[in-house]
Amino acid sequence: MKNIITLSTIEKKMKEEEFDSEFINVLIDVFQKHNPKINEEDFHTRMYKLHYSLPSEFHDEETCIMVYQQSQAWIENEVIKLENETRLSWDAQTEDLQGLDERVRKTQLVIRHRLSEIVYDLVD
């Protein structure tokens, strides 16, 4: 089976879902910079196993603050959508991220949730 979870297919799906263009660009850029030599099969496997966990590239607070600053309005809107979808406050959804800057926690929440949804859509 052809690996359908690639940076290219993830980027295309995020555009179809009307993600913020800056958010898309920064995410793709971070993946490319952190994994310049990762092959498609390894990336596919890593993303396939994501299941609402945060990719290691986004554990860094500085990276998440940069993402937040680029797409603050969109991230805040997505946080509200996630609260409505899950019927849980963003604070409750990020209990495992306590102690981090609020901007970092919100960014990590949106990345792990929305990226997992994208991956699930691609494999369906």
Side-chain angles (χ1 to χ4, degrees):
M1 179 176 123
K2 185 178 186 294
N3 291 336
I4 55 173
I5 306 170
T6 65
L7 273 178
S8 175
T9 58
I10 288 173
E11 181 178 13
K12 181 181 176 190
K13 187 68 175 167
M14 286 191 291
K15 287 178 180 177
E16 287 174 11
E17 298 289 329
E18 298 180 355
F19 282 30
D20 178 70
S21 61
E22 284 300 315
F23 181 82
I24 295 169
N25 293 338
V26 172
L27 251 63
I28 298 301
D29 189 50
V30 168
F31 277 124
Q32 289 174 332
K33 284 183 179 173
H34 280 71
N35 303 300
K37 296 180 182 177
I38 193 169
N39 66 44
E40 277 190 19
E41 187 174 329
D42 290 342
F43 183 78
H44 172 89
T45 301
R46 224 175 118 227
M47 291 297 106
Y48 185 75
K49 293 179 179 180
L50 196 60
H51 190 64
Y52 296 98
S53 61
L54 185 68
S56 60
E57 293 85 353
F58 301 98
H59 287 201
D60 178 66
E61 286 192 40
E62 286 181 31
T63 300
C64 289
I65 289 171
M66 178 201 47
V67 173
Y68 184 86
Q69 290 171 336
Q70 294 290 320
S71 301
Q72 180 178 352
W74 185 81
I75 289 171
E76 290 292 342
N77 190 48
E78 288 302 303
V79 167
I80 292 167
K81 285 181 183 178
L82 286 169
E83 287 179 324
N84 291 333
E85 289 169 19
T86 63
R87 296 192 171 134
L88 291 171
S89 72
W90 74 267
D91 198 42
Q93 293 180 64
T94 60
E95 286 179 346
D96 58 320
L97 305 172
Q98 291 296 329
L100 297 177
D101 183 293
E102 181 177 299
R103 300 168 296 175
V104 173
R105 291 172 50 215
K106 287 180 175 182
T107 302
Q108 289 177 339
L109 170 64
V110 170
I111 290 171
R112 73 181 179 188
H113 199 94
R114 295 302 186 216
L115 193 55
S116 292
E117 289 177 339
I118 292 291
V119 169
Y120 291 136
D121 285 349
L122 288 171
V123 295
D124 275 348

